[in-house]
Amino acid sequence: MSEIDSLKAQLKSLQDKALGLFAEAADLQALQDLRVNYLGKKGELTSVLKGVGKLPPEERPVIGQFVNATKGVLAEALEKAEQVLAAKASEARIEAERIDVTLAGRKCPQGALHPVQQGLNEMTAIFAQMGFEMAEGPEIEDEFHNFDALNIPQEHPARASHDTFFFNAEGEDEAMLLRTHTSPVQIRAMQACVDAGGEPPLAVVAAGRVYRCDYDVTHSPMFHQVEVFKVDKDVSLANLKGVLQHFLSAYFEKDVPIRLRPHYFPFTEPSAEVDIGCVFCNHKGCRICKGSGWIEVLGSGMIHPNVLKAVGIDSTVYSGFAFGLGVERLVMLKHGIPDLRLFFENDVRFLRRMGA
Amino acid sequence: MKIPFSWLKEHTPIEKTTQEVADDLVRLGHEVEGIDMPRAGVQGVRVGLIAEMKPHPDADKLKLLKIDLGDVEHLSIVCGAGNMKAGDKVPVATVGTSLPNGLKIKKGKIRGEISFGMCCSEAELGLAEDADGLLILPQDAPVGEEVGEYLELEEAVLDLDITPNRGDCMSLRGIARDLAADYALPLIEPGDEVVATDDSVAAPKVSVSATDDCPLYTACKIEGVKVSASPDWLQARLIAAGLRPINGVVDVINYTMLDLGQPMHAFDADTLKGDIEVRLAVEGEKFKSLDGKDVSLHTSDLVIADSKHVIALAGIMGSEPTGVTEKTTNIILESAAFKAAKISTTRRTQALVSDSSMRFERGVDPAMIAVAMDQVAQMITGLFGGEVSITTSVGDAEDLVKDKQIKVSMKRIESRLGIDVPESADAVLERMGFGIEHEGDALLFSVPSHRHDVSIVEDISEEYARVIGFDAIPAVMPALATIKPRKLYNAVESAVEQGFVQVINYAFISADEQRLFVADDGKDLVLSNPISEAMGVMRRSAFPGLLNTAKYNMNRQQAGVALVEQGRLYDGPMYERKETNVIAWLMTGDLQDDTWYAKARRADFFDMKGAVEAWLSARGLTARFMADDDAQGLQTGQTAKIFVGKAVVGFIGKVDAEIASGFDLDADVFIASINLDQLHTGKKAKFQPLPEFPSIERDLVFLFDKETTSDAILQTVRKACGQQLVQAHIFDLYAGQGVPEGKVSLGVRFVLQDAKRTLTQEDSDKAMQAVIEAMNKKFEAELRG
């Protein structure tokens, strides 16, 4: 056998053996070792090449080609084997990393906004968008702002129905009390405007805590009201209806029918109680609206000229509407909360449920 | 005000149903709180004719009846009564009816014979305590009609809430007037028959000194009355209207008050000494009221007196000794006008309320003074006998009933209502008693004596709105000027985002709970009429409320709570009262349950502090916390004042264990509070170029004395490093094995960076050297290995 044939045979058997080993390699490391063994500088292919020097010069390119072809075959086989093993390794890793995706996620602490706060936020936002300015007032009030200026003089029967909390007198000129409604803010806002030398238009929304000395299943001694009023030239009852219609539909997030019923409040004339189509039965009549299809939600009216007079606004030039609503009542209606007391028991289970 | 429907119909011939009338009353401004049907139980019981009667084949005492109810087929009923015969009409309860005694009528088999209902006795209909046999109805009873309707058992009573301005509607006549005007029906005037007087009976002598408060006082005497109980029909009406029958005379007066609206009073004439005087009380004068109260009078009280005693608080209540009883034979009747404000003042100062005062306070129609007097005198003499004197009258009756004239602009009314007033409205108002004359834009409006509430243009616009109906007024959005946008900051919302549950507590707490956190300095604002002692003073700390809420929740199987409240605190004394807006937090117990990734952990000071810092940071603020060992109710060594800049804006700490356990809280309780009024909003975020050059991170660990605060250490670090220090924080804290007693090992991590170049190892070495020296010098702190 010529030298060249022997070399060829050697390369062939080397290639066969290597391919066999490559296919059997257990992991990437074993494959790497094989690469070094066969293709490395001191590898077997190199040692075969050492025999090339013994060949006559004209035969060397022939065997050179043959070696390169073998090298190419081995390199390709290694590449393929590596890919297979890498894919296997990746699969194994992924399998090992499999988790129970149904386990609970890491908890972020869960807070909750009080439902009354949510109601306040929603309501004041609607009025703010309509162009009413926010105002605030003290909760400890005097009789002037809470009653007299609102056309409820001392001997007025309506005064008795307000169940007012009074403070122990300390030689004060007049008795101090906890405001029974947010209407004194109306007086204060108008006074502030007049005192600053200004004049209407005024469009104000005021929200806050109010107090009545009454405590049972349907009454809380503290609750929240939102007061809204507008004073300008030619403000009409029709405007009041427009604002109420917009507000109530926006708050209840649907077109609720409204109904105004003539009523009496000392600080408005004409006065109207406002009903909405029952939100539980869609105005059809149910147990909650006592079959009438209507639910009373707030009191409203055209600001009484005596109220404007009390703050120095000329009622022959200006007129206004005003209304006050009970926040808890509207929140109860919107969310179907059955009991007023839930708001002030502050059971976190209730608050979380309503605050979610 | 309870309005029996049949009584209402006596004032105007209404043909609508009670429900329709109720709806119309609502539209007219009278709130209907309910429609009572006190005897609704007999519904389904109909008038039946006994068409045929046979004995029961298997029972001697039973009869087989064929009942004609006007339907096609006759009903078979087995009946055990013995007082009926064929051709009688009887009440028949059909299958499905429930009787007032609770019995439900079912189809039944009695001794083999099927029965489809029951014939009823008076007792079974709830009309009598017991009865012997069936109720035999008159022969003209219409077959098939509901017995309730036929016997008028189903009297409906409308329960109205009369608004305080409509004193004229606190009577059947008043309500009927509004309805009659609306329905265009006649209002039936009280009879114009005048009671026969007897000159032999001397009329009472009356003098009125308080003429402002009592513009008209009339009185007459009836002698020889035999007072007994009032007749059944009258008692039934009083009961239906919500009043208790007392005796014949009192009942007639009450009946007339309900009927016509004029409250009257009757005195036992034989208990009076001398003449009657209407005057203001003498300070300290005594009066024993009909309901047995001893009252000490003031000079502001208007009274009726004889020559010896006060015999009545005008318009409110008579005195006990002069009241009419069953023994009374001679009576004096009073019918008068009293000023509303006067009655209101006495009602309030003396805390005495009556059906009479309710009406006088709201305004009574003076036109009824004489009419009511006549009606009462006629009814009393008709029912109980007696001779009537002529009536003494002091005051100008004619002046009182004069119409008021108001002249207003029609344009102004229309501009207030936002619509053009239709002509049809005038007719309704005229039927209500108003006089209307138009002269161009001018409206000449005359107001009758019963409408005290109408005096200005707005009142007239209200009357128009009422009769036009609010439904007819369109909804028109007003032109609203846009307002300057203002940044609304809701303090509580970012706390909620951090996991706190917002609560709302009452603004009043008990004085005892106030004392837990606020010293007794006399500055509490104390309610004079609290709901209870537990709600007696205005809170000056939010913590008692939060602790109570924590207690409430921990008692309901919560492992821990994190609460936040926003509200006001109220400080006295009253003449320099202050309402302060605060936000307050409370944390106690486990922050979360055991989970697969972590064990439950109890809240500590740094949880609370972290929450406060995060809350401030959301507002663009940073704070420093300085130990405070003097805060009341909080544990020394775990309490700090919160500084923003140089101002103390709040505090944070652990609630004293004894206080916490007083609220049944076993775990440590941490609270914090920040004064929102004192807090400025943080600076607006300002752009800074991002750093171009890399930063270097270095760690140093020192041994410090235990007392050294991290605040002091970091301040010194900042000074030592200068401008290149971007950040420094404590990354490790250790005391125990390997650390000497009284010392603590504390690691500080530094981030250094320069805006203009890349820092070298040398740069950072230099900075670290400076820190090491500063630590040595300031705290004698040694660098650890």
Side-chain angles (χ1 to χ4, degrees):
Chain A
M1 196 200 284
S2 69
E3 194 69 25
I4 188 161
D5 286 342
S6 143
L7 267 176
K8 275 185 183 169
Q10 259 187 59
L11 281 168
K12 179 78 177 87
S13 86
L14 183 147
Q15 177 177 322
D16 289 347
K17 190 181 170 201
L19 288 177
L21 287 171
F22 289 174
E24 282 163 24
D27 54 28
L28 286 170
Q29 187 54 47
L31 212 55
Q32 185 57 28
D33 293 346
L34 288 170
R35 180 188 286 277
V36 174
N37 277 349
Y38 284 95
L39 299 178
K41 278 182 183 162
K42 291 172 185 165
E44 295 200 24
L45 203 57
T46 317
S47 64
V48 173
L49 280 176
K50 281 176 188 156
V52 174
K54 294 171 191 162
L55 291 180
E58 69 278 10
E59 285 185 347
R60 284 183 196 165
V62 179
I63 199 70
Q65 271 175 17
F66 205 81
V67 166
N68 279 342
T70 307
K71 207 175 183 176
V73 167
L74 290 187
E76 197 181 325
L78 267 171
E79 194 71 22
K80 263 188 193 152
E82 260 171 15
Q83 271 171 15
V84 170
L85 280 177
K88 263 191 197 158
S90 170
E91 256 170 49
R93 179 184 56 76
I94 286 167
E95 193 49 44
E97 287 178 8
R98 179 174 285 281
I99 56 166
D100 175 4
V101 296
T102 65
L103 267 178
R106 285 201 174 75
K107 248 199 195 123
C108 295
Q110 195 73 56
L113 213 54
H114 195 286
V116 168
Q117 184 76 53
Q118 293 174 46
L120 280 168
N121 293 0
E122 290 168 24
M123 292 172 203
T124 50
I126 295 168
F127 290 115
Q129 281 165 1
M130 288 167 80
F132 288 86
E133 196 158 5
M134 302 268 282
E136 272 187 334
E139 291 169 21
I140 299 170
E141 265 294 3
D142 51 41
E143 296 199 290
F144 174 78
H145 288 93
N146 199 73
F147 291 124
D148 300 278
L150 288 159
N151 199 30
I152 318 175
Q154 186 65 249
E155 67 280 2
H156 200 289
R159 199 140 164 170
S161 70
H162 265 233
D163 298 314
T164 314
F165 280 114
F166 287 97
F167 285 97
N168 284 350
E170 298 170 30
E172 281 280 310
D173 289 340
E174 57 172 328
M176 297 301 292
L177 47 87
L178 281 172
R179 67 178 179 195
T180 56
H181 45 187
T182 40
S183 303
V185 186
Q186 199 186 114
I187 301 300
R188 288 181 180 277
M190 290 195 282
Q191 273 181 330
C193 167
V194 170
D195 290 350
E199 53 183 58
L202 265 172
V204 174
V205 54
R209 298 183 183 208
V210 299
Y211 302 86
R212 301 276 174 103
C213 190
D214 197 357
Y215 194 22
D216 58 34
V217 181
T218 54
H219 295 91
S220 165
M222 183 188 89
F223 56 102
H224 295 75
Q225 280 190 346
V226 170
E227 178 89 6
V228 177
F229 76 94
K230 177 177 167 63
V231 178
D232 200 349
K233 289 173 183 158
D234 293 325
V235 172
S236 70
L237 198 59
N239 294 151
L240 168 65
K241 254 182 114 168
V243 169
L244 285 171
Q245 180 70 68
H246 176 85
F247 164 71
L248 289 166
S249 292
Y251 178 68
F252 286 103
E253 298 168 26
K254 59 179 174 187
D255 284 331
V256 286
I258 69 167
R259 172 175 83 166
L260 272 63
R261 276 182 290 113
H263 196 69
Y264 170 77
F265 303 111
F267 31 88
T268 47
E269 184 82 340
S271 304
E273 281 199 311
V274 180
D275 298 337
I276 57 168
C278 178
V279 289
F280 296 102
C281 60
N282 278 324
H283 196 30
K284 288 190 191 81
C286 65
R287 188 182 52 81
I288 290 163
C289 59
K290 292 180 194 152
S292 71
W294 294 105
I295 289 186
E296 181 187 326
V297 289
L298 58 91
S300 68
M302 301 299 293
I303 299 174
H304 197 286
N306 288 356
V307 174
L308 295 175
K309 200 168 132 196
V311 296
I313 290 177
D314 186 349
S315 68
T316 62
V317 179
Y318 294 105
S319 57
F321 65 71
F323 57 93
L325 54 90
V327 176
E328 282 81 358
R329 175 156 180 78
L330 286 195
V331 172
M332 285 168 82
L333 290 175
K334 182 167 177 173
H335 298 284
I337 297 169
D339 190 340
L340 175 70
R341 289 171 298 188
L342 285 166
F343 289 123
F344 303 108
E345 278 171 1
N346 292 305
D347 190 316
V348 295
R349 293 167 298 183
F350 164 74
L351 296 174
R352 284 217 173 90
R353 166 140 211 109
M354 300 316 299
Chain B
M1 173 95 199
K2 287 185 186 293
I3 305 287
F5 201 56
S6 63
W7 194 350
L8 186 64
K9 285 184 182 170
E10 286 179 11
H11 285 272
T12 185
I14 297 167
E15 286 183 352
K16 295 198 177 193
T17 67
T18 39
Q19 187 57 55
E20 286 166 338
V21 170
D23 291 344
D24 293 329
L25 284 169
V26 167
R27 181 170 47 76
L28 289 168
H30 303 295
E31 194 167 336
V32 179
E33 298 208 310
I35 303 174
D36 300 335
M37 303 276 271
R39 289 166 129 169
V42 296
Q43 226 162 21
V45 182
R46 294 157 68 192
V47 177
L49 169 73
I50 302 176
E52 197 185 307
M53 185 162 89
K54 286 193 298 193
H56 191 289
D58 291 330
D60 292 345
K61 291 191 173 167
L62 297 179
K63 304 270 180 358
L64 300 182
L65 306 180
K66 291 278 182 206
I67 302 285
D68 179 2
L69 286 172
D71 304 331
V72 180
E73 284 190 29
H74 289 182
L75 218 57
S76 299
I77 287 179
V78 181
C79 184
N83 65 330
M84 70 289 187
K85 56 181 191 299
D88 277 349
K89 287 178 175 173
V90 293
V92 178
T94 47
V95 172
T97 303
S98 292
L99 292 176
N101 62 9
L103 183 68
K104 187 158 185 189
I105 307 299
K106 287 185 231 154
K107 191 170 102 174
K109 216 178 211 181
I110 303 171
R111 297 259 177 125
E113 293 291 328
I114 296 176
S115 181
F116 291 91
M118 187 175 109
C119 300
C120 304
S121 68
E122 277 184 272
E124 282 152 349
L125 294 178
L127 305 179
E129 288 287 309
D130 45 24
D132 186 20
L134 300 183
L135 170 62
I136 308 293
L137 298 167
Q139 272 302 312
D140 60 358
V143 168
E145 185 172 321
E146 288 275 336
V147 168
E149 257 169 58
Y150 172 67
L151 292 178
E152 290 187 8
L153 297 177
E154 288 180 51
E155 170 75 301
V157 178
L158 295 166
D159 191 359
L160 301 188
D161 188 6
I162 304 295
T163 55
N165 60 326
R166 292 301 301 274
D168 67 300
C169 284
M170 294 196 72
S171 67
L172 273 301
R173 179 176 163 83
I175 294 294
R177 174 162 37 215
D178 256 20
L179 283 171
D182 191 57
Y183 295 160
L185 290 172
L187 179 68
I188 295 163
E189 292 300 325
D192 48 9
E193 242 175 274
V194 177
V195 70
T197 55
D198 186 331
D199 289 347
S200 70
V201 181
K205 288 204 175 105
V206 178
S207 64
V208 178
S209 61
T211 48
D212 277 357
D213 298 323
C214 176
L216 181 63
Y217 193 92
T218 72
C220 74
K221 189 174 186 187
I222 309 181
E223 284 183 357
V225 178
K226 283 203 180 94
V227 181
S228 61
S230 50
D232 288 348
W233 67 265
L234 201 157
Q235 294 201 18
R237 280 207 164 161
L238 287 181
I239 291 168
L243 291 187
R244 194 166 46 91
I246 295 173
N247 64 46
V249 169
V250 175
D251 289 355
V252 165
I253 285 175
N254 282 339
Y255 176 85
T256 302
M257 172 182 75
L258 294 172
D259 196 40
L260 302 176
Q262 172 68 29
M264 289 174 52
H265 188 68
F267 300 102
D268 182 335
D270 298 328
T271 62
L272 302 190
K273 313 271 185 295
D275 298 341
I276 289 173
E277 191 187 356
V278 185
R279 58 168 169 87
L280 293 174
V282 177
E283 185 68 35
E285 209 170 349
K286 296 285 177 265
F287 170 73
K288 193 177 185 69
S289 74
L290 254 181
D291 55 0
K293 278 188 205 139
D294 285 308
V295 180
S296 177
L297 301 171
H298 306 299
T299 52
S300 59
D301 297 328
L302 182 67
V303 299
I304 319 298
D306 64 10
S307 59
K308 289 265 158 64
H309 298 104
V310 171
I311 56 173
L313 267 177
I316 301 178
M317 210 172 273
S319 78
E320 193 174 46
T322 61
V324 171
T325 67
E326 306 261 333
K327 292 183 190 127
T328 303
T329 53
N330 301 319
I331 60 179
I332 287 175
L333 290 176
E334 163 203 294
S335 185
F338 300 117
K339 203 170 149 196
K342 202 72 200 160
I343 305 304
S344 175
T345 306
T346 298
R347 186 265 304 149
R348 191 160 32 84
T349 54
Q350 300 291 6
L352 285 172
V353 188
S354 66
D355 289 302
S356 169
S357 73
M358 298 254 289
R359 287 171 174 78
F360 276 118
E361 267 191 76
R362 287 161 172 77
V364 168
D365 179 8
M368 286 296 118
I369 291 174
V371 179
M373 180 69 110
D374 216 59
Q375 176 166 318
V376 168
Q378 284 191 39
M379 285 178 76
I380 288 177
T381 51
L383 290 167
F384 313 112
E387 303 297 331
V388 186
S389 78
I390 58 161
T391 297
T392 309
S393 176
V394 181
D396 188 344
E398 283 201 6
D399 184 54
L400 273 181
V401 299
K402 264 201 291 198
D403 283 6
K404 259 182 300 185
Q405 303 295 331
I406 309 172
K407 188 175 173 181
V408 296
S409 149
M410 207 57 208
K411 259 203 205 95
R412 185 139 171 241
I413 289 173
E414 293 183 334
S415 116
R416 294 294 187 273
L417 296 179
I419 54 162
D420 296 337
V421 170
E423 274 173 31
S424 58
D426 285 350
V428 183
L429 288 178
E430 277 168 342
R431 285 197 295 270
M432 284 178 176
F434 296 105
I436 293 171
E437 249 179 84
H438 292 284
E439 277 176 17
D441 177 49
L443 166 66
L444 295 169
F445 202 78
S446 71
V447 181
S449 62
H450 62 272
R451 292 302 299 271
H452 301 274
D453 59 313
V454 178
S455 55
I456 55 173
V457 60
E458 284 75 12
D459 299 327
I460 300 172
S461 67
E462 164 154 53
E463 289 306 310
Y464 272 113
R466 222 157 59 88
V467 301
I468 294 164
F470 281 3
D471 288 344
I473 292 168
V476 178
M477 277 296 269
L480 282 161
T482 51
I483 51 160
K484 266 183 247 146
R486 194 171 63 160
K487 197 171 176 185
L488 291 176
Y489 191 87
N490 194 318
V492 87
E493 270 171 14
S494 59
V496 164
E497 280 157 23
Q498 288 151 23
F500 287 80
V501 175
Q502 183 191 9
V503 299
I504 298 181
N505 285 307
Y506 291 134
F508 17 66
I509 60 176
S510 76
D512 288 346
E513 289 181 352
Q514 185 99 292
R515 292 288 81 81
L516 296 175
F517 297 99
V518 182
D520 190 4
D521 52 7
K523 290 182 182 174
D524 283 1
L525 293 168
V526 183
L527 290 171
S528 63
N529 56 338
I531 296 285
S532 67
E533 243 177 74
M535 301 189 225
V537 301
M538 298 306 287
R539 66 178 181 190
R540 295 167 66 191
S541 164
F543 302 148
L546 284 170
L547 283 163
N548 275 315
T549 307
K551 171 184 174 179
Y552 181 94
N553 282 290
M554 295 300 274
N555 282 342
R556 281 163 183 75
Q557 296 181 302
Q558 297 292 313
V561 288
L563 308 174
V564 66
E565 178 168 15
Q566 183 184 354
R568 296 184 188 180
L569 304 183
Y570 312 80
D571 289 283
M574 190 54 88
Y575 61 89
E576 53 183 26
R577 63 189 170 277
K578 207 171 64 194
E579 295 179 27
T580 312
N581 288 289
V582 297
I583 180 168
W585 293 261
L586 179 147
M587 275 181 128
T588 188
D590 291 342
L591 295 176
Q592 60 174 46
D593 266 346
D594 280 330
T595 61
W596 59 267
Y597 55 87
K599 292 279 156 221
R601 190 172 64 77
R602 291 208 147 177
D604 66 16
F605 180 89
F606 296 101
D607 290 308
M608 189 73 256
K609 183 176 173 183
V612 172
E613 285 174 324
W615 182 86
L616 285 164
S617 148
R619 235 180 139 104
L621 296 169
T622 48
R624 284 180 70 195
F625 294 72
M626 308 291 258
D628 176 17
D629 288 348
D630 303 322
Q632 190 182 334
L634 303 180
Q635 182 174 320
T636 300
Q638 288 212 30
T639 294
K641 286 197 173 99
I642 304 171
F643 286 78
V644 170
K646 289 200 174 100
V648 178
V649 299
F651 47 97
I652 176 171
K654 177 177 163 186
V655 176
D656 277 341
E658 301 89 77
I659 293 179
S661 70
F663 289 89
D664 301 346
L665 298 170
D666 304 329
D668 292 350
V669 181
F670 298 91
I671 49 84
S673 166
I674 284 183
N675 179 338
L676 293 168
D677 296 338
Q678 224 173 359
L679 220 56
H680 57 88
T681 40
K683 287 174 201 144
K684 265 184 220 140
K686 217 174 150 190
F687 175 77
Q688 262 194 332
L690 295 172
E692 278 179 58
F693 302 97
S695 60
I696 295 182
E697 198 176 282
R698 297 284 297 264
D699 291 349
L700 293 176
V701 179
F702 296 94
L703 276 181
F704 287 101
D705 284 338
K706 246 172 81 180
E707 286 73 32
T708 317
T709 67
S710 75
D711 187 74
I713 293 167
L714 292 174
Q715 284 229 35
T716 310
V717 160
R718 274 182 216 115
K719 260 187 215 156
C721 288
Q723 293 244 318
Q724 288 171 344
L725 184 74
V726 179
Q727 198 206 315
H729 73 270
I730 311 292
F731 76 92
D732 183 55
L733 182 64
Y734 176 72
Q737 216 176 7
V739 175
E741 191 66 22
K743 296 276 181 187
V744 61
S745 160
L746 202 140
V748 186
R749 178 160 295 165
F750 305 81
V751 180
L752 300 165
Q753 200 168 33
D754 195 296
K756 298 200 175 75
R757 63 189 175 87
T758 303
L759 290 181
T760 62
Q761 180 72 21
E762 253 171 60
D763 291 324
S764 66
D765 284 349
K766 219 168 102 188
M768 290 304 100
Q769 198 51 47
V771 170
I772 291 163
E773 277 165 25
M775 291 296 130
N776 271 323
K777 205 169 143 199
K778 185 112 191 218
F779 307 112
E780 293 176 355
E782 284 168 39
L783 195 63
R784 280 188 96 200

